Amino acid sequence: MFRKSIQRLAVRHQSSVAKSAPRPLSNAYVGKLETRWTSLPKEDQSALIDSLKTRMELPWQELTPAEKKAAYYISFGEWGPRRPLYGPGDQAKVVYGVLGGIFASIVIYAGIRAISAPAPATVNREWQEASDEYLKSKNANPFTGYSQIQ
């Protein structure tokens, strides 16, 4: 007799029926969590995570679809360190910024060239050839060419 009562208590203690199952979370509490997760205070976020943890200790068939979606979002959603670096319109901003920078640099370069003095006469080809001939005749550059014996 005593043995049977202990067995009943052991079975009741091990069964999931004897445990008080946490109640399902309301759809208003866990529904559309993706849109409002970042605006929730940290205390509410941690409370929601704790309540979902207690619900997920049950078999997954007992969870509501909203609870499953909320658990998935909390575990794998785009928040915290998994938030994307760039938003939906940021690519266009980057492209327009780069193109604007290139255009501005071209305009600045052309403006500087327009207001600068003309090139000196020593830059043209004839001047360079004449100076090369003069250096060859004077053996002016012994290290790289003009006066080396071939």
Side-chain angles (χ1 to χ4, degrees), residues 24-36:
L25 302 173
S26 69
N27 283 340
Y29 188 52
V30 294
K32 296 186 181 175
L33 191 64
E34 304 86 19
T35 58
R36 59 187 177 91

Side-chain angles (χ1 to χ4, degrees), residues 62-115:
E62 295 181 19
L63 270 79
T64 63
E67 290 172 340
K68 290 178 185 178
K69 287 179 184 177
Y72 182 82
Y73 179 75
I74 289 172
S75 298
F76 304 109
E78 293 181 346
W79 64 278
R82 292 181 298 271
R83 183 177 320 161
L85 293 176
Y86 302 109
D90 289 345
Q91 288 179 343
K93 290 179 186 176
V94 169
V95 168
Y96 291 139
V98 168
L99 292 177
I102 291 172
F103 180 73
S105 64
I106 290 172
V107 168
I108 290 171
Y109 176 76
I112 290 173
R113 291 288 295 207
I115 62 172

